Amino acid sequence: AANKQEPELKEKIEDLTNFIEACKFGMMTTRIESSGLLVSRCMALAAKEGGGIDLLFHTNTESGKTDDLKSDPKINIAFLNSSGEWASISGEADIVTDRDTVRKYYSPGLKAWLGDLGDGKHDGGPEDPRIGVIKVSAKTATYAIAARTVLGAGIQVAKGVIKGEAANVNKLREISEEEIKQWRQTNS
């Protein structure tokens, strides 16, 4: 592809992690155990680890997504913004229920999602056993972010129409499993 670029790994990771942070919300795709079909859910990014490449999300451990992940931990998280820039991260998920981890990433806003069952235990607080963290260990990533301003992109599209070439309006990048391993070793 005309828009595929191969910059240094540091730039690729930083562009990806900055884009994810700016999006805040991603679509988490899992496989339903009973049917094998895929399902996506909107999730709010809670934190990043592994030098920014591993993603953490709050979860209700009694939800369908945790059932899906217990049967098949392979996962995809996709991010999209209103400009059409996007990112897709494939990896494996782990459901973390360790209270220290839950407390570390806890947000009071979780009470609104879980509610208080009135039993003194299931109150949506940091000790609520329903609250867990889904940690997505990235394996690969592909993303496209703007390479030009809106005016510059328009010129590229017009040039592409006239010359019959693909317009170079975004930076299409891939981060391989090997690159992610290398990044984790030096940035975790």
Side-chain angles (χ1 to χ4, degrees):
N3 57 346
K4 188 166 181 189
Q5 300 179 354
E6 289 302 327
E8 293 294 319
L9 180 58
K10 183 178 190 303
E11 180 182 340
K12 288 177 15 175
I13 298 286
E14 286 176 355
D15 282 351
L16 174 64
T17 59
N18 289 338
F19 175 73
I20 290 169
E21 190 72 32
C23 285
K24 182 68 177 159
F25 295 96
M27 294 299 291
M28 176 181 287
T29 303
T30 60
R31 184 175 308 280
I32 301 168
E33 181 181 19
S34 61
S35 66
L37 296 174
L38 301 176
V39 63
S40 298
R41 302 159 179 90
C42 186
M43 300 289 289
L45 182 66
K48 297 181 294 186
E49 291 183 342
I53 201 73
D54 296 325
L55 310 177
L56 287 85
F57 302 89
H58 297 115
T59 191
N60 178 343
T61 58
E62 298 172 4
S63 68
K65 68 183 155 295
T66 56
D67 292 340
D68 295 348
L69 292 170
K70 287 174 187 170
S71 69
D72 185 353
K74 290 180 179 60
I75 194 168
N76 184 272
I77 309 289
F79 295 87
L80 175 68
N81 70 17
S82 61
S83 301
E85 297 172 306
W86 58 270
S88 173
I89 296 92
S90 294
E92 291 199 13
D94 185 31
I95 302 163
V96 181
T97 55
D98 169 71
R99 288 294 99 190
D100 288 337
T101 302
V102 170
R103 279 197 250 11
K104 179 178 179 181
Y105 296 112
Y106 179 78
S107 168
L110 292 170
K111 285 186 176 199
W113 292 104
L114 292 166
D116 186 340
L117 299 182
D119 63 1
K121 185 176 183 181
H122 299 88
D123 61 2
E127 302 307 317
D128 187 324
R130 297 173 296 173
I131 298 175
V133 173
I134 295 174
K135 179 179 180 181
V136 178
S137 298
K139 299 291 183 195
T140 63
T142 304
Y143 66 97
I145 58 173
R148 308 182 182 287
T149 63
V150 173
L151 179 61
I155 291 168
Q156 282 294 313
V157 170
K159 191 170 135 182
V161 169
I162 293 167
K163 291 186 171 186
E165 299 172 352
N168 186 7
V169 295
N170 62 27
K171 301 174 189 176
L172 179 62
R173 296 183 177 163
E174 294 179 359
I175 304 173
S176 71
E177 196 165 352
E178 281 305 311
E179 287 175 310
I180 288 176
K181 285 179 187 174
Q182 176 188 343
W183 181 258
R184 259 195 214 101
Q185 288 173 350
T186 58
N187 293 280
S188 290

